[in-house]
Amino acid sequence: MMAEQSYTGKTIVVTGGGSGIGKETCLQMAKLGGKLIIMDVDEASAAAVQQQIIEQGGQAQSIIVDISNTQAVKDALQPILAQTSIDVLVNNAGIAHIGNIENTAEEDLDRIYQVNVKGVYNMLAAIIPAMKEQKSGVILNLASIASSVGISDRFAYSMSKGAVLTMTYSVARDYIDYGIRCNCISPGRVHTPFVDNFLAKNYPDKQAEMFEKLSKSQPIGRMAEVAEIAALICYLCSEQAAFITGSNFPIDGGFVTLNN
Ligand code: NAD
């Protein structure tokens, strides 16, 4: 019989754990017994998630770090790795940019690369040697529908999420013999603060109308809830998914396959 999903005794690092999908993932994994290490550049939101988990009887600590800074990531993780093993890494932190090739400046491309690609590289490079030594570990990367299909005005973002997908395959291949699993998920539009802030900034007079329009771009007729995304992440990082590696899971309300 399949064991119950549990993170008891597991140490879990979630980048961007202060908001949206990352926050909900931290909350769900903490409820399942995991010890959360929330890595985020935003001090206040990371501290708030840490406090919420502790108030609910869970275990969490937060680390303020910009994942695009290679040395800062190493310095932040070194004392943790000296004390404990890291069992699960969720590479969730990411930023967006709207624009085609003509209105994507070099600085925009570099900024997206630094966080969404180099940030993932930095985390993998800092944690994989320890996972290799302990001969176990699970890595889950946040890709996107933009990893696999053309989304309008997402030139730089698509570049970065394509890289997340292929880094996932590469790591899964290279470390399969060391007991390390590596997968990614590709969400469609998820209702997070990112979406609300985007609409408030760009469509202050017709936020509701635009929310509806964005919802309808998923054939299922709505955006995903963060809880739905976090539930898939929890499953894929758990022992229940021990047979799954090198895979990309769409979670997109039919966006990639049914939009015809
Ligand atoms: P969000 O904006 O709500 O949260 C992102 C978190 O990452 C924030 O707490 C932010 O402070 C942190 N962060 C940003 N840059 C960082 C850096 N350099 N170092 C450390 N932390 C940093 O985002 P979200 O909507 O929950 O998205 C999470 C992930 O899911 C991203 O990788 C995103 O590309 C991906 N995704 C989101 C959607 C969606 O519709 N929301 C769809 C597909 C994929």
Side-chain angles (χ1 to χ4, degrees), residues 32 39 94 113 137 141 165:
L32 291 165
M39 291 180 70
Y113 169 82
N141 299 324
L165 173 67

Side-chain angles (χ1 to χ4, degrees), residues 52-68:
Q52 190 175 342
I53 290 172
I54 290 168
E55 277 168 10
Q56 290 169 355
Q59 299 179 77
Q61 75 180 88
S62 54
I63 295 177
I64 308 314
V65 66
D66 177 349
I67 57 158
S68 68

Side-chain angles (χ1 to χ4, degrees), residues 16 19-21 40-41 65-67 92 94 143 157 161 187-190 192:
S19 172
I21 296 167
D40 205 297
V41 77
V65 66
D66 177 349
I67 57 158
N92 163 79
Y157 184 73
K161 291 301 180 180
R189 206 159 265 121
V190 187
T192 65

Side-chain angles (χ1 to χ4, degrees), residues 2 24 29 31 36 58 76 79 89 92-93 100 121 127-128 146 150 161 167 184 191-192 197 210 216 228 250 254-255:
M2 179 71 75
E24 182 64 21
M29 286 184 168
K31 277 195 184 133
L36 271 297
L89 165 63
N92 163 79
N100 59 24
Y121 161 82
I127 291 177
I128 281 185
K161 291 301 180 180
M167 283 191 284
C184 65
H191 188 196
T192 65
N197 296 339
M210 287 309 294
K216 291 274 159 23
E228 295 171 310
F255 188 98

Side-chain angles (χ1 to χ4, degrees), residues 7-257:
Y7 283 97
T8 302
K10 305 278 184 198
T11 300
I12 301 152
V13 171
V14 179
T15 65
S19 172
I21 296 167
K23 173 182 175 179
E24 182 64 21
T25 300
C26 289
L27 295 174
Q28 288 193 16
M29 286 184 168
K31 277 195 184 133
L32 291 165
K35 185 179 164 210
L36 271 297
I37 298 173
I38 304 155
M39 291 180 70
D40 205 297
V41 77
D42 184 331
E43 188 168 0
S45 59
V49 176
Q50 177 189 356
Q51 196 183 339
Q52 190 175 342
I53 290 172
I54 290 168
E55 277 168 10
Q56 290 169 355
Q59 299 179 77
Q61 75 180 88
S62 54
I63 295 177
I64 308 314
V65 66
D66 177 349
I67 57 158
S68 68
N69 183 329
T70 308
Q71 194 58 46
V73 168
K74 275 189 199 161
D75 291 346
L77 287 168
Q78 194 269 331
I80 291 169
L81 287 165
Q83 276 177 20
T84 182
S85 60
I86 293 175
D87 302 293
V88 178
L89 165 63
V90 181
N91 277 314
N92 163 79
I95 55 172
H97 177 260
I98 313 283
N100 59 24
I101 182 68
E102 292 171 273
N103 43 39
T104 299
E106 186 183 351
E107 305 80 66
D108 298 326
L109 188 80
D110 288 347
R111 188 166 44 85
I112 296 294
Y113 169 82
Q114 286 295 327
V115 178
N116 293 8
V117 182
K118 183 116 167 270
V120 172
Y121 161 82
N122 284 337
M123 293 299 299
L124 293 170
I127 291 177
I128 281 185
M131 286 185 167
K132 191 176 164 186
E133 193 142 310
Q134 77 207 20
K135 291 203 161 23
S136 68
V138 186
I139 297 161
L140 191 285
N141 299 324
L142 266 289
S144 162
I145 47 174
S147 303
S148 309
V149 294
I151 310 287
S152 53
D153 284 328
R154 295 292 189 283
F155 179 78
Y157 184 73
S158 300
M159 170 276 298
S160 72
K161 291 301 180 180
V164 170
L165 173 67
T166 50
M167 283 191 284
T168 301
Y169 293 150
S170 175
V171 166
R173 175 71 266 170
D174 285 343
Y175 295 96
I176 194 163
D177 292 338
Y178 295 95
I180 300 174
R181 299 191 294 112
C182 183
N183 295 295
C184 65
I185 63 166
S186 288
R189 206 159 265 121
V190 187
H191 188 196
T192 65
F194 172 78
V195 173
D196 295 330
N197 296 339
F198 169 78
L199 292 178
K201 187 174 159 211
N202 293 286
Y203 305 97
D205 301 330
K206 46 176 186 170
Q207 284 184 55
E209 187 188 323
M210 287 309 294
F211 187 89
E212 191 64 14
K213 195 174 164 201
L214 292 182
S215 299
K216 291 274 159 23
S217 67
Q218 276 73 227
I220 213 163
R222 64 174 177 87
M223 297 184 201
E225 295 298 331
V226 284
E228 295 171 310
I229 307 298
L232 179 58
I233 296 173
C234 282
Y235 167 68
L236 287 171
C237 294
S238 77
E239 285 299 312
Q240 290 185 340
F243 196 57
I244 303 178
T245 192
S247 291
N248 169 38
F249 289 82
I251 173 161
D252 62 5
F255 188 98
V256 166
T257 50

